[in-house]
Amino acid sequence: MLPSVDTVDELNAVVRDEALLRPAAQDLCAQLGLVGARLVRFEDGSLPVYSVGDSLVLKLYPGFEAAEALREARVLSHLWGQLPVPTPRLHAGDLYKNGWRFVLMSRLPGESLAVQWHRIPAADQDRIVTEAAETLAALHALDPKPLTDVVGPPDWNRFLAVQRAKAVRHHRTNGLPEPWLEQIPDFLGSVPLTVPSQGVLLHTEFMREHLTVSPQDGWRVTGLFDFEPVMIGDPVYDFAGAALFLTCADARQLRRFYAAYGRTPHAPRELLAHALLHVYSDLPWYLRELPAPPRPRLDDLAEAWFSTDK
């Protein structure tokens, strides 16, 4: 069935090989009592994920990401019924073969917000932004202590320091042009990043792609998913992602998001600093997807993407 996988390159090769993955997914479903269930592969994501029938989702993790599998299973159990919108319900999670692990969870109702956003009326978009912000506020309000054995980092200040030290190398690897790269050290050095007195449970990728919506009774948020990369840390880390990938540099929508969450906006430069330090930060991609200033200046970029005053 599935071969042992020890590196990202090996994983990417397996992820592209549906002829290898599908028999393994069918075998695993049979072991779980789901013989003959219809499997449909989700195209997005770095891990193999299948819908199983109409109501379940199966996610596979290689051995070197076992911690992520255990984390997602624990977080799903912790969150069930705790947020204003549904999260997937954990049905099973265990070891499969050759180090691979799996999580079997319920499928959320509705469709991807990223896919549906541009056909949603403006008034309904506003309501969705409000509901999303209320959901993030509820997530941040939960006590993360029961998860500290599987969710980190143990020291948020240390995490930021490590991210800062490798920021230029990280963005150079992603292909960021030199006029942007050369500004990063001074920019990050000029932005004070305060350490929160108490960390909160962070989704870390709070974006349209991880929210589901339905047009029934007007467009509404019907779910939040993908808790594999959760962390415990400063709420601003989630706000940076939401500004980039939920409100997408729309100042009016970002104001609405902050108001619904119930706090004053963070400074644009603070949000950009956290966007640069994010584990999955990809500034060249952001520059292709979002409106960029005419000159390559990080201060201008902060205003373009994170200001609520435009």
Side-chain angles (χ1 to χ4, degrees), residues 21-301:
L21 285 167
R22 180 167 291 272
Q26 292 170 332
D27 175 64
L28 180 52
C29 284
Q31 293 184 31
L32 294 169
L34 301 168
V35 178
R38 182 172 61 93
L39 295 179
V40 178
R41 174 82 179 270
F42 289 103
E43 296 181 1
D44 297 333
S46 59
L47 295 175
V49 183
Y50 292 87
S51 66
V52 183
D54 295 325
S55 60
L56 297 172
V57 171
L58 178 68
K59 191 171 183 178
L60 299 170
Y61 309 75
F64 72 88
E65 292 194 352
E68 283 79 357
L70 295 170
R71 182 187 307 128
E72 184 150 29
R74 279 281 302 281
V75 172
L76 289 178
S77 294
H78 183 71
L79 291 182
W80 175 248
Q82 299 298 307
L83 299 184
V85 303
T87 55
R89 184 174 188 175
L90 179 68
H91 284 263
D94 208 340
L95 187 66
Y96 176 46
K97 295 176 181 177
N98 289 331
W100 286 79
R101 302 192 71 90
F102 72 90
V103 169
L104 182 70
M105 66 193 94
S106 63
R107 182 170 184 176
L108 294 172
E111 304 171 72
S112 166
L113 176 59
V115 173
Q116 298 299 324
W117 179 262
H118 294 294
R119 65 181 290 246
I120 298 174
D124 291 330
Q125 288 179 347
D126 287 351
R127 181 171 59 247
I128 285 170
V129 168
T130 294
E131 292 175 353
E134 292 169 347
T135 298
L136 187 63
L139 176 67
H140 289 175
L142 294 176
D143 182 5
K145 291 188 183 67
L147 298 171
T148 53
D149 60 323
V150 292
V151 180
D155 184 333
W156 185 254
N157 194 41
R158 172 63 180 162
F159 164 75
L160 291 180
V162 170
Q163 292 302 106
R164 187 193 300 265
K166 64 182 183 181
V168 172
R169 182 173 71 253
H170 171 89
H171 290 284
R172 178 174 285 117
T173 299
N174 283 343
L176 185 65
E178 193 62 35
W180 291 105
L181 281 170
E182 63 189 15
Q183 300 174 60
I184 290 177
D186 287 344
F187 180 84
L188 291 177
S190 70
V191 181
L193 302 181
T194 58
V195 179
S197 57
Q198 183 173 345
V200 303
L201 191 62
L202 303 172
H203 185 278
T204 77
E205 294 190 295
F206 197 80
M207 55 203 301
R208 294 176 187 175
E209 284 78 1
H210 296 147
L211 290 159
T212 55
V213 293
S214 171
Q216 188 173 356
D217 300 323
W219 287 92
R220 301 275 182 177
V221 177
T222 57
L224 173 66
F225 65 97
D226 197 11
F227 293 95
E228 165 202 334
V230 296
M231 301 171 72
I232 295 173
D234 193 330
V236 67
Y237 195 78
D238 265 344
F239 277 96
L244 288 170
F245 300 117
L246 178 64
T247 59
C248 297
D250 184 319
R252 185 184 68 83
Q253 292 284 25
L254 187 55
R255 286 196 301 273
R256 171 178 287 274
F257 188 89
Y258 271 107
Y261 181 96
R263 65 149 294 148
T264 57
H266 295 93
R269 298 178 84 249
E270 184 181 6
L271 288 169
L272 179 56
H274 281 86
L276 291 169
L277 296 174
H278 196 285
V279 170
Y280 303 122
S281 184
D282 190 343
L283 198 57
W285 178 40
Y286 307 164
L287 288 166
R288 292 192 297 270
E289 297 293 319
L290 299 172
R295 295 180 299 169
R297 295 185 68 248
L298 289 176
D299 283 330
D300 293 346
L301 198 61

